[in-house]
Amino acid sequence: MQMDEFELRAWLRLLLTPSIGNASARRLLTRFGSVQGIFEATALELTEVVSRAQAEALLQPPVLLDAQTVRTLQWLSTHPKNLHAQRALWHIGHSDYPEPLLHLADPPLLLYVEGQIQQTLGPAVSVVGSRNPTPQGKQTAMQFGRALSEAGICVVSGMALGVDGASHQGALQFAKPQAPRSSASNSLATGTSASYWTTVGVVGTGLDQVYPRHHEALANEVIAHGVLISEYPLGTPPLAANFPQRNRLIAALGLGTLVVEAAMRSGSLITARMALDMGREVMAVPGSIHAMQSHGCHWLIRQGAKLVANVKDILEELQIHTSTNGGNNPNAMGLPPTSQPHPFLKQMGFTPISFDTLQMHCKLETAELQSVLLSLELEGHVARLPGGLFQRLGSTS
């Protein structure tokens, strides 16, 4: 199914028209049968569906229509940095439009997609959490991302700093190399689906920019093994109001939503609530009672969310059967087997701890303790936190 330049212009005109929201646009599409049919209708016919002011607005092409059309066509015709990736637009009636989004009360009418568009969405889990996680929380998100990917589950998240980025990175650690792209060039058409995405990044900006900029390399990796998706026109900056709105897409694309770390007032809890409203499962990873980032997870668990300690818990909750190691090993977190931990780590525990308290427990001289901590920090077993605290990293299973 192809979208030619005239159809593209009609979709952009509809979505750029002032006062026409998604609800009004859906009513118009239902009444007139196609996006072109809306603009072939008379003012009188339009007022049968929308207000007179809205009808008058539809009769006048938006000021930015020409510029946005040119911008979109240029974006579609420019190859992404990754040679195996492609770009596409999927409208709500397109054959490649992700089926789970059709069940939303407010589905996007047009999706901008970049990445492996010849593939499709398979079984998926949405992973969300704090933008400022503890070191343990960030590592946990990465471990779950890898374990889910190893089990053949797509990881859906929002490309934000913290837990989002770590979960994408974990999934990509188990990503399979992509086959060379077909001879078909970027266009308004898409290829056929051949396999499943490793990870999906749902962003709150236009796809012609990366936010945060720190994740530019990550974005390139995502489009090499999955897709980036946005409902926002090219050039849309990172507006605060857009991120809670995009969260409904994250919640809808997953069979369930896993919350790794979240404060009591956070976007992650908004996503969890959206998932519940959609009838999706909500799961949460418990953390330290002293960490503000874990309070939201503990609240979710008290409200009935599934307490998750390893990937097997997720697979059981979602009733996903897999023959991979990630699904069969109850302690699997997606990391290779490790040797016995350093004896010092057993005394340290996983709760952030001060140097003085740690010294009381292990009874080491100051210089010796500093040497041990530095060595473990360099090996990635311990993280140094603000306030002179230290935290052990690694799976708690």
Side-chain angles (χ1 to χ4, degrees):
M1 178 187 292
Q2 296 186 2
M3 183 193 301
D4 59 29
E5 182 176 343
F6 297 102
E7 186 180 7
L8 167 65
R9 184 178 175 86
W11 277 107
L12 293 177
R13 179 176 175 178
L14 176 62
L15 297 176
L16 291 173
T17 299
S19 77
I20 299 296
N22 275 7
S24 299
R26 289 198 304 276
R27 293 200 303 271
L28 289 163
L29 289 168
T30 300
R31 168 63 175 80
F32 298 106
S34 69
V35 68
Q36 295 98 324
I38 295 171
F39 298 106
E40 294 170 357
T42 65
L44 183 60
E45 290 172 328
L46 291 172
T47 56
E48 296 174 359
V49 183
V50 295
S51 69
R52 181 174 296 277
Q54 288 175 309
E56 292 175 353
L58 286 166
L59 295 174
Q60 301 296 324
V63 175
L64 298 178
L65 179 59
D66 289 341
Q68 193 64 30
T69 301
V70 170
R71 186 174 196 164
T72 305
L73 288 171
Q74 289 177 341
W75 179 78
L76 286 164
S77 63
T78 303
H79 291 305
K81 291 182 179 179
N82 184 279
L83 295 179
H84 304 313
Q86 294 176 277
R87 293 169 173 168
L89 293 182
W90 296 339
H91 59 73
I92 194 168
H94 197 283
S95 58
D96 289 331
Y97 188 97
E99 190 270 341
L101 299 186
L102 295 173
H103 303 291
L104 287 168
D106 184 26
L109 298 183
L110 190 65
L111 290 175
Y112 297 75
V113 188
E114 182 171 9
Q116 305 306 308
I117 64 172
Q118 75 280 4
Q119 299 179 354
T120 190
L121 179 71
V125 170
S126 304
V127 182
V128 297
S130 173
R131 284 179 168 81
N132 298 290
T134 65
Q136 180 68 45
K138 186 174 182 179
Q139 187 173 40
T140 297
M142 187 176 296
Q143 291 169 340
F144 270 112
R146 178 180 169 89
L148 288 166
S149 181
E150 188 175 1
I153 310 300
C154 176
V155 174
V156 180
S157 198
M159 290 294 296
L161 293 173
V163 166
D164 284 18
S167 65
H168 288 301
Q169 290 167 352
L172 291 166
Q173 289 177 1
F174 198 74
K176 303 293 192 303
Q178 297 300 322
R181 184 170 58 186
S182 67
S183 58
S185 61
N186 288 350
S187 67
L188 304 185
T190 64
T192 57
S193 299
S195 55
Y196 295 143
W197 297 318
T198 296
T199 187
V200 175
V202 186
V203 304
T205 65
L207 278 191
D208 55 343
Q209 54 190 292
V210 175
Y211 179 81
R213 296 299 302 175
H214 176 70
H215 276 172
E216 184 168 1
L218 176 61
N220 288 332
E221 283 295 309
V222 169
I223 67 171
H225 301 282
V227 289
L228 293 176
I229 291 178
S230 176
E231 65 180 309
Y232 297 106
L234 300 176
T236 302
L239 303 175
N242 289 348
F243 291 93
Q245 180 75 357
R246 69 91 197 260
N247 288 354
R248 78 193 195 285
L249 307 188
I250 296 174
L253 289 171
L255 298 171
T257 293
L258 173 68
V259 185
V260 175
E261 281 189 344
M264 282 302 299
R265 299 185 65 178
S266 66
S268 301
L269 293 193
I270 294 175
T271 307
R273 184 167 61 248
M274 290 176 171
L276 284 174
D277 290 343
M278 298 173 195
R280 305 291 200 274
E281 300 296 335
V282 173
M283 301 157 286
V285 179
S288 169
I289 61 173
H290 304 292
M292 294 293 294
Q293 294 94 326
S294 293
H295 291 181
C297 291
H298 296 163
W299 181 83
L300 286 172
I301 292 169
R302 289 196 298 271
Q303 302 305 309
K306 170 76 172 183
L307 188 155
V308 166
N310 50 60
V311 74
K312 185 180 180 183
D313 293 336
I314 297 175
L315 301 178
E316 288 179 347
E317 182 71 5
L318 300 180
Q319 299 182 14
I320 297 174
H321 303 288
T322 174
S323 59
T324 64
N325 292 337
N328 289 334
N329 181 358
N331 292 321
M333 290 288 288
L335 296 178
T338 58
S339 58
Q340 289 297 315
H342 191 287
F344 175 83
L345 293 175
K346 295 182 178 180
Q347 301 180 52
M348 189 172 184
F350 288 92
T351 300
I353 188 171
S354 70
F355 184 92
D356 291 341
T357 303
L358 192 54
Q359 190 171 27
M360 289 174 55
H361 287 325
C362 64
K363 303 188 186 315
L364 294 178
E365 295 295 331
T366 299
E368 185 179 2
L369 178 56
Q370 289 175 336
S371 176
V372 172
L373 286 171
L374 177 59
S375 176
L376 292 172
E377 187 177 359
L378 292 174
E379 293 173 3
H381 298 305
V382 169
R384 191 181 301 265
L385 307 181
L389 299 177
F390 296 86
Q391 184 177 36
R392 177 181 173 181
L393 302 178
S395 170
T396 59
S397 58

